[in-house]
Amino acid sequence: MDIVVKGRKTEVPERFRKHVAEKLKLEKIQKLDGKVISLDVEVSKEHNPRQADRSDRVEITLHSRGPVIRAEAAAADPYAALDLATGKLEARLRKQHDKRNDRRGTGRISAAEVADTVPGVASLNGSGLAVAEETTDAVPTTKIGSLEVRGDGPLVVREKTHTAAPMTLDQALYEMELVGHDFYLFVDSETKQPSVVYRRHAYDYGVIHLESDPLAGSEGGGAGGALGG
């Protein structure tokens, strides 16, 4: 298993790289998840004096043949941030390991295996329309990376692409907890619809299913504003 340490807008000292290799105990990680392929550790620094107590951020991303697990933390120095992020990563690995053991013998398949049994679904654009159903008009378009922005458009500062492995709502909730986010975008294995599960108040969760309507006009809007409901 490889550990890749990189800095985003900051230099990473060799001393810190060695500390990462000592802190992330590979034997312990592989015991919790024997399918681990690599670990990415990204270090970034916030130069705003008002955020001195959270100026250094460390994000750890674990890639395996199962779901991607991510943990991040910020502190006054990168060593403290690494300690916090490592603790979160190990906690999520233990949770995944325990849940995997609980599911043995139930006949359920993991998220990594779903892609081999369920075919993919059509790609959707930002308006929720299938790509084949997009219409064009006289509004000028601008190329930003791999995106085409109509009119003035927003400023795209970050772009990510993820593979969409169809999964159940229960699995999507599980994946959201693993990455530690407040929402999770997935393709529902029953309806084949793009969907979002998100955290609401206390321990409640919400889910939004996106259904393409080829008869709806472009002014109809999407479901983006409904996330806080």
Side-chain angles (χ1 to χ4, degrees):
M1 178 175 64
D2 298 326
I3 299 180
V4 178
V5 183
K6 57 185 177 181
R8 181 156 58 90
K9 298 182 180 179
T10 186
E11 294 292 331
V12 181
E14 187 62 30
R15 177 188 172 194
F16 183 78
R17 295 178 185 273
K18 293 180 180 180
H19 183 70
V20 169
E22 296 171 356
K23 185 68 179 179
L24 294 174
K25 299 178 176 60
L26 300 185
E27 292 183 1
K28 184 176 182 180
I29 292 175
Q30 289 178 323
K31 185 177 181 181
L32 293 172
D33 189 343
K35 299 180 179 180
V36 177
I37 299 173
S38 65
L39 276 170
D40 291 339
V41 179
E42 184 178 270
V43 185
S44 59
K45 190 172 185 66
E46 173 59 58
H47 298 284
N48 187 345
R50 296 181 179 179
Q51 299 185 18
D53 59 335
R54 297 173 57 84
S55 61
D56 291 274
R57 178 174 295 275
V58 172
E59 179 178 307
I60 306 174
T61 304
L62 183 149
H63 300 276
S64 72
R65 284 173 286 176
V68 173
I69 301 177
R70 184 176 292 105
E72 59 181 308
D77 63 80
Y79 294 90
L82 176 65
D83 290 345
L84 294 172
T86 301
K88 291 181 180 180
L89 178 70
E90 291 180 353
R92 288 166 187 167
L93 279 172
R94 283 193 294 270
K95 182 176 180 179
Q96 180 196 37
H97 180 266
D98 294 342
K99 192 160 187 176
R100 187 189 305 119
N101 289 340
D102 292 341
R103 288 179 173 180
R104 285 179 178 174
T106 63
R108 300 178 66 174
I109 61 175
S110 67
E113 297 169 319
V114 172
D116 297 330
T117 57
V118 180
V121 295
S123 299
L124 301 180
N125 64 6
S127 301
L129 297 175
V131 172
E133 299 170 351
E134 287 190 55
T135 60
T136 59
D137 51 30
V139 178
T141 60
T142 304
K143 192 77 171 180
I144 302 179
S146 60
L147 302 178
E148 286 189 356
V149 179
R150 300 175 63 190
D152 294 335
L155 176 63
V156 178
V157 296
R158 193 170 187 179
E159 178 184 353
K160 287 187 176 181
T161 301
H162 299 279
T163 55
M167 61 181 68
T168 63
L169 175 60
D170 179 63
Q171 183 66 28
L173 286 169
Y174 174 53
E175 301 286 350
M176 183 181 72
E177 293 295 340
L178 280 181
V179 297
H181 290 172
D182 292 327
F183 69 93
Y184 191 82
L185 177 65
F186 69 105
V187 176
D188 194 299
S189 59
E190 295 184 2
T191 65
K192 305 300 185 296
Q193 294 175 333
S195 306
V196 174
V197 64
Y198 62 96
R199 196 187 312 277
R200 300 183 75 249
H201 308 293
Y203 296 99
D204 293 338
Y205 298 95
V207 61
I208 297 174
H209 299 290
L210 189 62
E211 182 176 358
S212 175
D213 184 358
L215 300 180
S218 59
E219 294 80 7
L227 196 58

